[in-house]
Amino acid sequence: MTKCVLGIDLGTSAVKVSAVDRTGNIIAQESFDYPLSQPQSGYSEQNPNDWVMSTTVAIVRLILDDHIDPNDIAGVSYSGQMHGLVLLDQDYHVLRPAILWNDTRTTAEREEIERIMGDEFVRITGNRPLEGFTLPKLLWVKKHEPELWQQTAVFLTPKDYVRYRMTGQLGIDYSDATGTTLLDIHTNEWSTEICDRLGIPENILSPLLHSDDQTGTITAEYAEFSGLSQATKVFAGGADNACGALGAGILRPEVVLSSIGTSGVILKYEDQPTDAYHGHVQMEDHVVNDAYYSMGVTLAAGYSLSWFKKTFGSDVTFDQMVAGAAESGIGAKGLLFTPYIVGERTPYADANVRGSFIGVDATQNRGDFTRAVIEGVTFSFRDLLEIYRQAGAQFQQVVAIGGGAKNPLWLQIQADVFNVPVQKLANEQGPGLGAAMIAAVGLGWYPDYQACSDQFVHVDKVYQPIPANVERYNQIYQLYHEVYPQTKSLTHALQALK
């Protein structure tokens, strides 16, 4: 009999459910994909019921295929893709496909927020209004789908909808609530001022929860559906970036997270909200009670590499493609890539800019282009680190998770471009492990998150910056940093002609 918790990681393309024992060992893991709909340029949507079905399939496989006894599953918690909008009617049925974090249709709504609230919005929320946040999506539905808006009884973020379907209880945890940009980050309450000035009825706001709050147990209906026990305790969970930070042990300010998934994140632990970054990075509640984090986001990090492979490397594996990049060398034989292929968030809040390859010549091969993509994404991460450095932050270590932590070449490139030691974790599971840690603390297995992290999180290897490489990358980065202002007007014009 091995007691365990389930960490449910609801990503953009798939859900991954991990069964984790008391000592942090992953004893079983299952995942299941779901489709992404892009009905128009800039639109990104999913069916929330697909999340529930896929999560259930993964849980059923854990029970049937991996022989996890439902009675041994003591608790469940969640990590979820941020900023997504799920609208429910008075019967709590889904009204429309969820609008996701990487949807950029809301430029007019972002501009409306800026016009009405100005700097006061940044003061209240700790963030500038951006297309990807939940609030602009609400305003878009209000303007473009008024009949659905009239039917809206409540909205949720993605993982909160899955939890509602499993427990019958509504709520949004603080880390996801800050990502809606409807929360006053100083009082940790929904902002009446924002709601009043932008016409958002407060009755559609869900109850606020701490990440390790117990939100009920499994309903009889879902127990029959999934095989879980009704006695299993369910905890609120958190936003994927906050859970990823917890799962990587980011619990003090001098250690920074580098996370490369579909999007990319540089994340820093904060003891309290700060305006030192002037809204240029996001400020969010952590899943750790009474703590915060700030983060900058590259919209197309791992997605840039997967797009490149799909378009130009369908005949090789990822490992083969990256092996070609290793043969290329620093600077990719004079080739630069900017990863703005779906617009950008930080440091350029620009939904219309697009990516580029600069310096193409006939001597370059696919390995050079792959190397340029990897380096370009890493340079975009350095853009984020520079915001922190300019505000006086000092970093001792970077912890790498996600796709960029699976390849030694990319880990060394990060160390050289950042000029900071980069840690690879022994049991890198990112947000899913963080979700499991929330359940473990919620159950009382550990007194706090630091004690849990000491048991769950372990370093495998540290990649040190190589001085000669650092010098070369410093020179190339200066050129990379000039590309956006030089190409902004051109890429905007090309987008307008589509």
Side-chain angles (χ1 to χ4, degrees):
M1 177 177 174
T2 303
K3 286 291 184 181
C4 66
V5 293
L6 298 186
I8 297 174
D9 178 15
L10 191 76
T12 307
S13 57
V15 63
K16 181 166 63 176
V17 183
S18 304
V20 184
D21 69 16
R22 283 176 176 263
T23 61
N25 293 316
I26 295 175
I27 57 177
Q29 191 172 75
E30 295 286 350
S31 62
F32 202 81
D33 296 348
Y34 32 74
L36 175 69
S37 174
Q38 296 175 303
Q40 298 183 41
S41 177
Y43 282 40
S44 184
E45 300 181 342
Q46 280 175 333
N47 182 347
N49 293 311
D50 288 343
W51 303 331
V52 178
M53 291 298 297
S54 297
T55 299
T56 307
V57 170
I59 291 171
V60 169
R61 287 178 174 175
L62 285 172
I63 294 170
L64 296 182
D65 297 344
D66 299 302
H67 308 293
I68 302 295
D69 186 338
N71 295 312
D72 289 340
I73 301 172
V76 175
S77 192
Y78 309 80
S79 161
Q81 49 170 296
M82 296 178 68
H83 311 311
L85 175 64
V86 183
L87 294 178
L88 305 181
D89 66 16
Q90 62 182 0
D91 297 318
Y92 302 146
H93 295 150
V94 173
L95 283 167
R96 69 172 327 281
I99 306 177
L100 303 191
W101 60 272
N102 55 352
D103 189 291
T104 57
R105 75 183 74 177
T106 57
T107 297
E109 288 70 31
R110 172 184 61 78
E111 292 171 347
E112 176 185 354
I113 296 169
E114 291 176 334
R115 183 176 64 255
I116 293 173
M117 298 207 64
D119 291 341
E120 185 68 4
F121 187 84
V122 178
R123 186 197 67 78
I124 294 171
T125 68
N127 293 286
R128 293 177 295 167
L130 298 174
E131 283 83 357
F133 292 152
T134 317
L135 173 58
K137 298 177 176 67
L138 285 165
L139 296 176
W140 185 92
V141 173
K142 179 183 177 184
K143 178 180 179 180
H144 294 277
E145 298 176 344
E147 292 184 3
L148 291 182
W149 181 252
Q150 291 300 319
Q151 297 176 58
T152 299
V154 68
F155 82 87
L156 295 172
T157 55
K159 66 99 174 51
D160 300 301
Y161 178 70
V162 175
R163 191 186 63 246
Y164 160 71
R165 290 287 300 273
M166 294 174 69
T167 66
Q169 301 296 315
L170 295 172
I172 296 178
D173 85 287
Y174 285 102
S175 67
D176 253 335
T178 45
T180 69
T181 57
L182 277 162
L183 192 81
D184 186 327
I185 199 167
H186 305 284
T187 64
N188 273 336
E189 296 177 352
W190 294 118
S191 172
T192 297
E193 181 175 353
I194 291 176
C195 289
D196 287 348
R197 295 181 67 178
L198 296 173
I200 303 297
E202 291 190 58
N203 62 357
I204 71 170
L205 306 177
S206 293
L208 290 165
L209 304 166
H210 292 292
S211 294
D212 52 15
D213 281 347
Q214 185 180 339
T215 57
T217 54
I218 301 298
T219 64
E221 179 183 11
Y222 194 77
E224 182 176 1
F225 190 39
S226 65
L228 289 174
S229 166
Q230 286 183 251
T232 299
K233 295 180 179 180
V234 180
F235 301 91
D240 56 0
N241 288 305
C243 288
L246 177 61
I250 307 298
L251 294 171
R252 58 188 194 275
E254 67 273 13
V255 181
V256 174
L257 179 72
S258 166
S259 174
I260 299 177
T262 303
S263 64
V265 169
I266 290 290
L267 182 150
K268 181 178 178 294
Y269 182 94
E270 306 281 357
D271 292 314
Q272 57 188 5
T274 174
D275 59 3
Y277 313 123
H278 308 292
H280 294 300
V281 295
Q282 294 171 228
M283 185 66 60
E284 312 280 355
D285 278 45
H286 208 322
V287 293
V288 180
N289 294 344
D290 301 319
Y292 302 83
Y293 69 93
S294 57
M295 69 176 188
V297 176
T298 291
L299 286 181
Y303 183 64
S304 289
L305 194 59
S306 62
W307 160 80
F308 181 78
K309 183 185 184 305
K310 178 182 177 182
T311 307
F312 302 107
S314 58
D315 58 325
V316 296
T317 66
F318 265 107
D319 288 344
Q320 290 170 328
M321 192 172 73
V322 175
E327 297 173 1
S328 172
I330 293 173
K333 297 180 184 175
L335 187 61
L336 268 177
F337 171 73
T338 58
Y340 313 138
I341 59 176
V342 293
E344 190 53 296
R345 181 175 295 178
T346 316
Y348 313 114
D350 190 340
N352 295 313
V353 71
R354 289 298 179 265
S356 59
F357 283 103
I358 305 292
V360 178
D361 74 41
T363 68
Q364 294 154 350
N365 58 31
R366 183 164 60 191
D368 301 316
F369 277 81
T370 305
R371 177 87 180 213
V373 171
I374 292 172
E375 290 181 342
V377 171
T378 311
F379 287 141
S380 76
F381 275 43
R382 176 163 169 179
D383 277 344
L384 309 180
L385 284 172
E386 292 302 318
I387 294 172
Y388 287 110
R389 285 175 170 143
Q390 290 168 13
Q394 300 290 325
F395 312 123
Q396 295 179 0
Q397 297 165 339
V398 171
V399 179
I401 67 171
K406 292 179 170 60
N407 183 270
L409 172 67
W410 205 338
L411 286 161
Q412 187 60 55
I413 289 174
Q414 288 185 73
D416 295 337
V417 171
F418 302 160
N419 194 22
V420 178
V422 172
Q423 294 182 349
K424 179 183 183 297
L425 298 178
N427 58 338
E428 194 271 294
Q429 293 294 326
L433 185 63
M437 292 168 70
I438 290 171
V441 171
L443 287 165
W445 288 0
Y446 294 90
D448 54 41
Y449 288 110
Q450 186 61 64
C452 188
S453 177
D454 291 343
Q455 182 63 51
F456 276 50
V457 183
H458 305 287
V459 175
D460 175 41
K461 185 175 180 180
V462 179
Y463 290 77
Q464 298 289 343
I466 299 171
N469 294 354
V470 170
E471 183 177 356
R472 289 279 307 280
Y473 276 126
N474 281 340
Q475 296 170 344
I476 300 167
Y477 173 71
Q478 297 308 314
L479 298 175
Y480 168 89
H481 199 61
E482 294 180 16
V483 175
Y484 172 77
Q486 295 292 332
T487 62
K488 176 182 177 180
S489 59
L490 177 62
T491 57
H492 283 208
L494 289 170
Q495 282 296 102
L497 291 173
K498 286 179 66 175

